[in-house]
Amino acid sequence: LGWALLISVLTYFLYPHTYIRFGILHLLATSLLSYPFLKTKRPGSLIIPAVIIWFIGNVFSDMTTSTALLLPLGLTTEDFRSLDYYPLAPWYAIFLFGVLVGQTVYKRKTALLSHSKLPDMLLMPGRNSLAIYLAHQPLILATLIFLQHIGLLVH
């Protein structure tokens, strides 16, 4: 959540018209904070809320509102633009389906593959996914700016 808020602040100063208000990190943080309440639920009880949230998200995608306060729920203003936007509706439904699958398919919570049989190089991305995510955007942006600067990319 801290990284999500920091990215919102940074993008607000760098790109004030398209800054990130509720991006993928905001969605992930919100979803993970809700997990303690969900893990005690019976798996079948998550299906209906997930379907409803997915449906609401698809309805909201065709609607606009006059306030930006509802952006996390999926209701945008007419002039809304963002560098990254993953509202709770419909994307929280994907998280709920993931919890459902985890509770039904992965009941024993043991590794499906032995870590000792996998090379460290294959384990590294999963262990460092947040750092990789946070680093890739500035690296891509810097590369594009450099390519534009040397004339290989036209604005």
Side-chain angles (χ1 to χ4, degrees):
L1 183 58
W3 283 111
L5 297 174
L6 178 63
I7 287 174
S8 289
V9 170
L10 288 174
T11 58
Y12 177 78
F13 287 108
L14 294 171
Y15 309 100
H17 299 294
T18 57
Y19 74 98
I20 298 171
R21 297 178 217 187
F22 203 87
I24 192 69
L25 292 179
H26 300 81
L27 171 69
L28 289 173
T30 304
S31 299
L32 291 174
L33 287 171
S34 73
Y35 182 70
F37 303 104
L38 300 173
K39 69 181 180 180
T40 60
K41 304 290 182 210
R42 290 189 346 223
S45 68
L46 299 177
I47 294 173
I48 292 174
V51 169
I52 290 170
I53 291 168
W54 182 261
F55 177 77
I56 288 170
N58 287 299
V59 170
F60 281 2
S61 70
D62 294 330
M63 299 171 68
T64 58
T65 183
S66 61
T67 179
L69 294 175
L70 300 175
L71 286 173
L73 301 177
L75 282 169
T76 61
T77 58
E78 199 160 309
D79 62 342
F80 174 72
R81 302 286 179 269
S82 181
L83 297 169
D84 186 29
Y85 182 55
Y86 284 87
L88 292 169
W91 298 108
Y92 187 69
I94 302 297
F95 178 77
L96 291 178
F97 283 126
V99 171
L100 171 78
V101 169
Q103 289 177 340
T104 55
V105 176
Y106 198 58
K107 284 182 187 178
R108 293 185 298 157
K109 297 184 179 27
T110 57
L112 300 175
L113 296 172
S114 170
H115 287 122
S116 63
K117 295 180 184 176
L118 294 173
D120 284 341
M121 189 174 185
L122 291 177
L123 298 173
M124 190 277 301
R127 292 180 176 156
N128 298 287
S129 58
L130 180 60
I132 291 168
Y133 178 81
L134 292 170
H136 93 281
Q137 298 259 346
L139 287 174
I140 291 172
L141 185 59
T143 303
L144 292 173
I145 290 169
F146 173 74
L147 291 174
Q148 185 179 17
H149 180 71
I150 64 171
L152 291 178
L153 225 110
V154 180
H155 187 351

